Amino acid sequence: NVEIMIKKIIHSLFAVTLFTAMTFTVDARSLDEILKSGVIKMGVNPGLPPLAKYDEKNNLVGFDPDIGAKLAEMLGVELELVKVGSPDRIPFVSTGKIDIVMGALTRNYKRQKIVDYSLPVHTEVFGALTTSKKPFKTVMEMNRSDVTLVQVRGTMPASWAQKNLPKAKMIMLDNYPDAMRTIAQGRADAIVDVVDFLGEHMNKYKNTEWQVVDKAIDTWYCGIGVQKGNHTLQQW
């Protein structure tokens, strides 16, 4: 039940605690300030369908906007969607440019030093996208010095690839469209990322040579991120 899930997320996001006032170091809006303004600002990544993308009318749609819309409805405020890239997510929420952020925000210890999380909203599994020119059967076959991976900065898949595929060369870029172009142009062999996104990209170009290496690797939990210490926005 989506409504029950959203209620649990809201409770994990917006609990009012006395600790909050002692922990804020940067301007982050409390629940009272959000309710008073009538707007909650949420960061989503339109380069990562099906979580978010632009439709034919240039509106942001997808799983993340749907979650945000339901959350805003239950709080009685308007939802303002803010476009963020993978490298922007943490800086935007930690500096108060947005109130909350999604965009496949995987939970990990390094990020938890900077942001706090709601309860898990969804899980994601990693795989790899390549072309028929590079017929890899498993992701681990890419751990070779003659393989070049392209990864997006600020993402868990990039960190995973650096750790688990150390022999491969790595090109680091700031967004997914450029990463996809790099593979299409033959400047990289593959990208390790979330299977849902990779499958969405492959299905978009059904008559091309794109292929997903579908041996799933590692499952991660994703939540809604808020500024570190903003317990009025984390545990309500």
Side-chain angles (χ1 to χ4, degrees):
N1 186 298
V2 175
E3 187 159 330
I4 292 175
M5 182 185 75
I6 294 293
K7 284 181 179 178
K8 289 181 178 179
I9 292 169
I10 293 175
H11 277 285
S12 72
L13 278 171
F14 297 103
V16 178
T17 68
L18 294 177
F19 184 65
T20 306
M22 298 184 291
T23 55
F24 283 179
T25 56
V26 187
D27 291 333
R29 300 197 303 164
S30 67
L31 174 60
D32 286 342
E33 290 171 324
I34 290 170
L35 295 177
K36 186 176 180 179
S37 74
V39 176
I40 185 168
K41 298 179 181 179
M42 178 182 187
V44 298
N45 186 351
L48 203 57
L51 295 180
K53 64 180 180 180
Y54 286 108
D55 65 11
E56 63 278 0
K57 296 181 179 179
N58 207 35
N59 295 317
L60 282 166
V61 297
F63 178 82
D64 290 358
D66 287 348
I67 292 291
K70 190 64 179 179
L71 190 149
E73 176 189 330
M74 295 177 74
L75 290 174
V77 297
E78 295 294 322
L79 174 66
E80 180 181 334
L81 293 174
V82 178
K83 173 185 173 182
V84 297
S86 295
D88 303 329
R89 294 171 299 177
I90 304 292
F92 270 43
V93 76
S94 64
T95 58
K97 290 183 178 179
I98 53 179
D99 301 308
I100 58 177
V101 67
M102 290 188 72
L105 192 66
T106 314
R107 299 166 68 98
N108 66 53
Y109 292 115
K110 186 179 291 186
R111 287 178 179 162
Q112 285 177 318
K113 295 177 181 179
I114 308 171
V115 298
D116 286 327
Y117 289 87
S118 70
L119 294 172
V121 178
H122 63 91
T123 59
E124 58 183 28
V125 176
F126 295 168
L129 182 72
T130 184
T131 69
S132 59
K133 298 175 184 177
K134 299 286 182 177
F136 301 107
K137 291 191 178 4
T138 70
V139 174
M140 296 313 297
E141 286 182 18
M142 300 175 186
N143 191 29
R144 305 193 322 239
S145 60
D146 62 338
V147 171
T148 298
L149 299 175
V150 59
Q151 299 295 149
V152 177
R153 289 187 182 91
T155 65
M156 273 294 292
S159 298
W160 187 96
Q162 288 172 323
K163 179 180 178 181
N164 293 280
L165 307 172
K167 294 180 182 178
K169 299 180 182 70
M170 194 134 344
I171 299 172
M172 299 296 291
L173 299 177
D174 287 328
N175 61 73
Y176 284 96
D178 285 347
M180 297 299 106
R181 247 188 315 273
T182 301
I183 299 173
Q185 294 169 352
R187 293 186 288 122
D189 300 311
I191 180 173
V192 174
D193 215 279
V194 180
V195 167
D196 291 340
F197 162 66
L198 302 181
E200 178 99 356
H201 180 84
M202 186 179 72
N203 292 335
K204 184 178 178 181
Y205 301 98
K206 290 182 179 179
N207 297 323
T208 68
E209 298 178 335
W210 291 104
Q211 293 184 355
V212 171
V213 180
D214 57 5
K215 182 181 170 93
I217 48 172
D218 287 355
T219 300
W220 302 87
Y221 293 98
C222 297
I224 299 175
V226 300
Q227 187 188 63
K228 188 72 177 176
N230 190 348
H231 295 276
T232 58
L233 290 178
Q234 190 213 0
Q235 298 170 351
W236 181 68

